[in-house]
Amino acid sequence: MLISIIIPVYNGEKTIKSTIESVINQNYADIELILVDGNSNDKTMNVVLDFRSYFDVIISESDGGYADAFNKGIKAAKGDYIMMLAADDWLLPSAIEKFKNSINQDTEVWCGS
């Protein structure tokens, strides 16, 4: 089961590294990682590019805000499920594995915090 994780960010140089590391350190490998940057004017993209090999899609262009960034990510996503992860949030260890184990074949929407 492919899980697409979309990270929208704008000027998140102080937090984006922890967010990315929380995803790449998961014990679940079938992850598509998508970053949508709103054309940050700080060092966000320098941090992101240090991790470029982990990303399936990186979009960096002006957008209409948070919802627009999510929509761009959704259009790019190929996963069976799509997770939205803010650029100043992070996943606890094993979060994706626990999510996978909590759904069944009839699950269409899953909401957690």
Side-chain angles (χ1 to χ4, degrees):
M1 172 189 323
L2 180 63
I3 309 293
S4 296
I5 300 177
I6 301 169
I7 303 172
V9 61
Y10 180 72
N11 291 341
E13 71 176 293
K14 293 179 181 174
T15 59
I16 191 68
K17 182 179 179 187
S18 295
T19 303
I20 295 167
E21 288 176 338
S22 80
V23 174
I24 65 177
N25 290 326
Q26 291 295 303
N27 62 349
Y28 187 78
D30 206 5
I31 293 173
E32 174 187 47
L33 188 53
I34 300 168
L35 181 112
V36 183
D37 172 66
N39 207 20
S40 293
N41 55 26
D42 64 359
K43 295 181 180 171
T44 296
M45 288 307 297
N46 293 350
V47 176
V48 169
L49 293 177
D50 286 342
F51 293 94
R52 84 177 60 133
S53 65
Y54 295 97
F55 284 93
D56 296 279
V57 177
I58 297 175
I59 300 167
S60 183
E61 60 190 23
S62 295
D63 58 42
Y66 204 68
D68 188 29
F70 272 141
N71 286 329
K72 287 180 183 185
I74 290 168
K75 286 179 185 175
K78 295 181 175 90
D80 300 297
Y81 287 89
I82 297 173
M83 175 182 285
M84 310 296 193
L85 185 63
D88 58 355
D89 290 337
W90 62 91
L91 297 175
L92 294 173
S94 302
I96 301 296
E97 186 68 30
K98 290 176 183 178
F99 161 74
K100 181 188 164 282
N101 292 336
S102 73
I103 61 174
N104 61 49
Q105 65 184 18
D106 297 326
T107 303
E108 292 183 22
V109 176
W110 191 95
C111 183
S113 61

